[in-house]
Structure formats: C-alpha cells, structure tokens
Amino acid sequence: MTDRPVFEAATAVTPLGVPDEAGRSLWAAEVAEGWDILGNTNGGYLQAIASRAAAAAVGRPDPVTMTGHFLAPTGAGAATVDVEVVRVGRRFATARATVSVGDRAVLTTLGTYGDLSEPDDDAPTLVTSVPPELPDPDDCVAHEPGGGPLPPAFAGKVEMRVHPDDMGFVEGHASGRALMRGWFRLRDGEPVTSHALVCAVDAFPPTIFNANLPTGWTPTVELTAHLRRRPAPGWLACEFTSRNVTGGFLEADGLVWDADGHLVAQSRQLALVSRG
Amino acid sequence: MTDRPVFEAATAVTPLGVPDEAGRSLWAAEVAEGWDILGNTNGGYLQAIASRAAAAAVGRPDPVTMTGHFLAPTGAGAATVDVEVVRVGRRFATARATVSVGDRAVLTTLGTYGDLSEPDDDAPTLVTSVPPELPDPDDCVAHEPGGGPLPPAFAGKVEMRVHPDDMGFVEGHASGRALMRGWFRLRDGEPVTSHALVCAVDAFPPTIFNANLPTGWTPTVELTAHLRRRPAPGWLACEFTSRNVTGGFLEADGLVWDADGHLVAQSRQLALVSRG
C-alpha cells in the first residue's frame, strides 16, 4: 500500500471470487489502523469502504445517494464487504453493501450509484444555501492529534481546519450553537473523490459539542450522504448544524462546497443523545 | 378490509409462511387503488407498506429511521414484501424490506426500528427549528381531487390543507420559493401512526412547483424519514423546502410537527430535476 495515496489505500477493496448468480459478491478490505476516535473507527470512513465495494460491483464510479446504518462499533482489522446488487439501470444502479470486521457486521448500507463526471449544469438551478463564511485555512484551528487522547487519531488521517468560533468547546467555552464549520481536504494533495466525500461528511467534531448541553457520546444510528458532483481541487468548505436535539435524538445536517463554490455533498445523520 | 381505517387497511401486511433460518420472511400486501399520482403510486405510501412489514418482522412497533430507494414506478396490484433482518439489538432492530408488485421490485428500503411510545423528554434538548406559520385549516386550500387529473387521486386518500401562498402554482402564480407548507391528517379521525408519518413526508405537491423553474416531473431517487415520536391527535403542521436545486438534483427537506408542538418527523428526499 506504500505507493498509493493514504485514503485510497485505506479504503481499497479486492474482489474475493466472482459474483454469484443473484449478483452477490464478496470483497476483501482492511479497516486501517489510526482511522479511529478513541478506538472506534470513524463511521464515514467505514461507509467509504462500503461505497467503493458497491460502486465497483455495479460498475459505476460514484455514489449518488448512500445510507448507512451502524450496527456495532469496531476497531481496525481485516474486513469483508458483502455486496448485493438490487438493480442496474441505464443511469443508476442500486446496491446493498455490508461491512464485517472479523465475523461481526458493523455497518450495512443501501446506495444508488452513477457517474458524476459530467454534472448537469444546464438543469434548472435554484440554490439558496450559501457556503459558510470561514477565515482562511491558516487562520482556522488545525484539528489534528496532539499529545492527548483528543483530537483523535482519525484527525491525523485527513486535514481539517475548524472555524475558531466553533472550537471553543475544547477549552470549555462552547458557543451554545450546535454548529461546526471548517475546511477539509485529504493529505498530500490526494484528490477528494466522491467516496472520500462520504468520509468528509462525518469527519468533524460533533455539532453537539458546541451546544452547551449535558450530553456525552452521541452514537450515529444512520448517515445519509447525497453526492452532487466531484469536487474541484482544493479545500472544501464544510458546515454542520443540528436544529432539532429532542426526544433523545439529534440530526446533524452537512453541506460541503468545493473551491469553485459548487455544492458537492449534502448529508444528514441521526444520532442518539444521552445525558452526559 | 371494510371495517379497518383506510390507511391501516391500505398498508396491511400478512406473513407468508415462517421466516427462514437467516431471518428472511415474505409478506403479502396490496398496493391499493387510488393511492396514485397520474397512475404512479405515491412513494411514501409504498414505503409505509415496507415499514409495516419490516417492523412486524423484527417485532418493534415503530420505524425510527428509514430509507427507501425507488426502483420503478408502479400502479396498484398484489404485492409482496421481502424482509431481511440485519440485526436485532436491545433497543433497536435493523432490517431491509423490498416491495415487489407482481414480480417487479419497485422499492427497496433499509430501516432501523424501535419503540417510540415513550419519548425521552428528559434528554438534553435544543430545538431551533420552528413550526411553519399556517392559517387555520379552514383558511387553507383543500388539496383534494376535483374533476381533472390533478390534484391526484392520492390526495383523496389523506387530508391536506395547503398554505394559500404555496398553491399559486396551480394558477400559474408560483411564489418563486421552493417551499410547500400545509396541514396533514388521515381521514375519518384515523390516528397517524409512525408508519403513516412515512407517507405524510411524501404527500404534498413538490416544492419545485413553486420555484418558477422550467422543470417537469421530478422523480424521487431516495427518501429518508426520521421518526422522533408518535404524533398527538389532530392536524400535523408540515413544511417542505428545497435549498439546493443544482446539478440535475434537488433535495426536499421536511419537518412535521404535531398539535402539541413536538417535532414528530424529519425527512429528506433526493429527486432528479430535468428540463421541463
């Protein structure tokens, strides 16, 4: 894996045999060391492994909409991805992909895959979302591992620069807004593919850390990513918000914009909120 | 089916035999007549059938988060639901459910099911979304079939009252905002279950009708519903918005509030946008 870019290597999948008559195929993967938060592998990274296997199985380069349901936390280790093709159409193909580490299923997904290499910019357009206002990356806070348990190892596998106003929680000065904004890219100039976007939308610290609420761990139940286009080279501007922390649940909504100002991904996850 | 409430009857499922060793079970259902828009059955209604079969299969009363990928349009007819149990945990259970009409798969879903009968109102709470400001139902526009092809037959199966400002598209006076607000309930006082909420989030006319864009049909690729709690009796206040019509796709985000002012459902769908 030494010559491949870090993300590509860490999400590589290899077919194990040929698909069966029902279109089911098994893929070998490796949940790599260091993509974890306190020992638990990042969910978006895991989902990107599933995305790569499913896209390869259906012969389409890009996830278009992909949903993962998280079944169990996992550390690093040898993994398999079990892919079932549901439908192959002219433009899109739909498949399920389940990631198991050892013999334990940790993530099951349902996605529709296609080709985002030529976005339909002639289609009717009306965008009222706006990219977040972010200081230059050099004026943001580098979210990367230091000497302690947090920031997590995972933060060292990608590059994140967080809006200074959204990092107050680290020193006990949370803003009171369930908001997290920052820049994202992969290390060493590795291009952010549509698969890597699935990781990007789950990469930043939780919005809830800024909300001044007495809560602890907020495990993700479900994560859906819509991929609109492949990003232009450069930093991605990301914004995550939670507007409805209620009933023991929260949603975290994400928008990711590329350096050309295009919306490239939109995400939502549902997480559990427990008392801290 | 004559004594059962309309929605309950139209989404009824019956086990066909017993589950196999892998936890797979088949259910009989009926895609009922009249739940269509110009011949195409409403997606949320279809998804509610899948929700009922999956919830029954895993023995949990409520969908908590459920995603459907639409594979083909369908009319009414005898249907089956193929349910695969992925994981049964202490609090939640995860299952796939695929609806076929005749021998054609029309919808495949992935959901996590649980029990929403006792919402955790002691959990940390921070809600910044607000219910839409709606005139009284009697001062809204009844969205129901008239003499022509539209409003669709489906609109007669449930009850909808649309904000007058969001019905201008009918007479060529679209507001220019991709917004749709209104009241929803089932007919004859039938309670809105969590399964019916899955239908409610896909019931109103498309937001895009109000956007003044040269677009035609916007077929749904994917619909995700998060169910937060079972609704209190009475009208539900619903708001749907699209902020990112770009690249040939749009999202439609939904929020559904009950008569007690609680958020009961949040939804997002991804649809295709073509030139009209």
Side-chain angles (χ1 to χ4, degrees), chain B residues 184 191-192 197 229-236 257-262 264:
Chain B
F184 177 96
V192 177
L197 285 175
R229 63 194 294 142
R230 298 182 187 169
W235 286 102
L236 299 169
W257 309 81
D258 72 6
D260 289 345
H262 284 118
V264 293

Side-chain angles (χ1 to χ4, degrees), chain B:
Chain B
M1 303 191 352
T2 47
D3 291 320
R4 281 184 295 181
V6 169
F7 183 82
E8 186 185 327
T11 56
V13 293
T14 311
L16 292 170
V18 296
D20 72 10
E21 288 176 6
R24 191 165 180 166
S25 57
L26 203 63
W27 301 73
E30 178 83 25
V31 174
E33 295 282 351
W35 291 77
D36 63 289
I37 296 92
L38 304 176
N40 294 322
T41 302
N42 172 262
Y45 160 66
L46 281 177
Q47 197 154 322
I49 293 174
S51 176
R52 287 194 64 184
V58 299
R60 304 296 162 99
D62 301 297
V64 173
T65 168
M66 187 185 188
T67 291
H69 286 235
F70 293 88
L71 307 172
T74 186
T80 55
V81 189
D82 183 353
V83 180
E84 288 177 272
V85 178
V86 177
R87 174 181 174 269
V88 176
R90 194 166 44 88
R91 182 167 172 198
F92 297 122
T94 300
R96 307 179 185 106
T98 299
V99 179
S100 297
V101 177
D103 57 4
R104 184 178 208 189
V106 298
L107 167 66
T108 191
T109 70
L110 175 60
T112 289
Y113 299 83
D115 185 342
L116 297 174
S117 62
E118 294 182 15
D120 184 2
D121 289 330
D122 295 329
T125 298
L126 180 66
V127 179
T128 58
S129 293
V130 292
E133 290 186 16
L134 291 169
D136 288 341
D138 287 348
D139 296 325
C140 286
V141 181
H143 184 59
E144 56 193 9
L150 290 174
F154 166 76
K157 295 297 186 181
V158 299
E159 278 197 275
M160 291 180 277
R161 300 283 184 277
V162 177
H163 193 304
D165 293 350
D166 298 341
M167 280 305 270
F169 73 88
V170 171
E171 294 174 338
H173 306 299
S175 66
R177 300 163 71 196
L179 173 67
M180 180 60 61
R181 296 161 295 179
W183 301 102
F184 177 96
R185 67 180 181 188
L186 294 178
R187 293 196 172 269
D188 305 319
E190 180 178 357
V192 177
T193 62
S194 48
H195 305 290
L197 285 175
V198 175
C199 179
V201 298
D202 191 41
F204 283 84
T207 56
I208 191 89
F209 283 3
N210 280 323
N212 265 331
L213 292 175
T215 187
W217 189 242
T218 54
T220 301
V221 178
E222 179 260 348
L223 169 63
T224 294
H226 294 173
L227 297 313
R228 296 290 185 98
R229 63 194 294 142
R230 298 182 187 169
W235 286 102
L236 299 169
C238 307
E239 181 175 59
F240 301 89
T241 53
S242 298
R243 295 182 181 86
N244 301 284
V245 185
T246 180
F249 299 96
L250 68 78
E251 95 284 20
D253 281 353
L255 291 168
V256 181
W257 309 81
D258 72 6
D260 289 345
H262 284 118
L263 178 71
V264 293
Q266 187 171 27
S267 67
R268 173 173 289 162
Q269 62 174 269
L270 182 72
L272 300 179
V273 180
S274 57
R275 275 141 289 196

Side-chain angles (χ1 to χ4, degrees), chain A residues 191-208:
Chain A
V192 176
T193 61
S194 49
H195 304 291
L197 285 175
V198 175
C199 178
V201 299
D202 192 40
F204 283 83
T207 55
I208 190 91

Side-chain angles (χ1 to χ4, degrees), chain A residues 228-244:
Chain A
R228 293 291 183 98
R229 66 193 293 140
R230 298 182 188 170
W235 285 104
L236 298 168
C238 307
E239 180 174 59
F240 301 90
T241 52
S242 298
R243 296 182 180 85
N244 301 283

Side-chain angles (χ1 to χ4, degrees), chain A residues 64-227:
Chain A
V64 172
T65 168
M66 187 185 187
T67 291
H69 286 234
F70 293 88
L71 307 172
T74 186
T80 55
V81 189
D82 183 353
V83 179
E84 289 179 89
V85 178
V86 176
R87 173 180 175 268
V88 175
R90 193 165 46 87
R91 183 168 172 198
F92 297 121
T94 300
R96 307 178 186 108
T98 299
V99 179
S100 297
V101 178
D103 57 2
R104 184 178 208 187
V106 298
L107 167 66
T108 190
T109 70
L110 175 61
T112 289
Y113 299 83
D115 186 342
L116 297 175
S117 61
E118 294 181 14
D120 185 3
D121 289 331
D122 294 330
T125 299
L126 181 66
V127 178
T128 57
S129 292
V130 292
E133 290 186 17
L134 291 168
D136 288 341
D138 288 348
D139 296 325
C140 287
V141 180
H143 184 59
E144 56 193 9
L150 290 173
F154 166 75
K157 295 297 185 182
V158 298
E159 279 197 276
M160 291 181 275
R161 300 283 184 277
V162 177
H163 194 303
D165 294 351
D166 299 341
M167 281 305 269
F169 72 88
V170 171
E171 295 175 336
H173 306 299
S175 66
R177 300 163 70 196
L179 174 66
M180 178 63 60
R181 295 161 296 179
W183 301 102
F184 177 96
R185 67 180 180 189
L186 294 178
R187 294 196 173 267
D188 305 320
E190 180 178 356
V192 176
T193 61
S194 49
H195 304 291
L197 285 175
V198 175
C199 178
V201 299
D202 192 40
F204 283 83
T207 55
I208 190 91
F209 283 4
N210 280 322
N212 265 331
L213 293 175
T215 185
W217 190 241
T218 54
T220 302
V221 177
E222 179 259 348
L223 169 63
T224 293
H226 293 173
L227 297 315

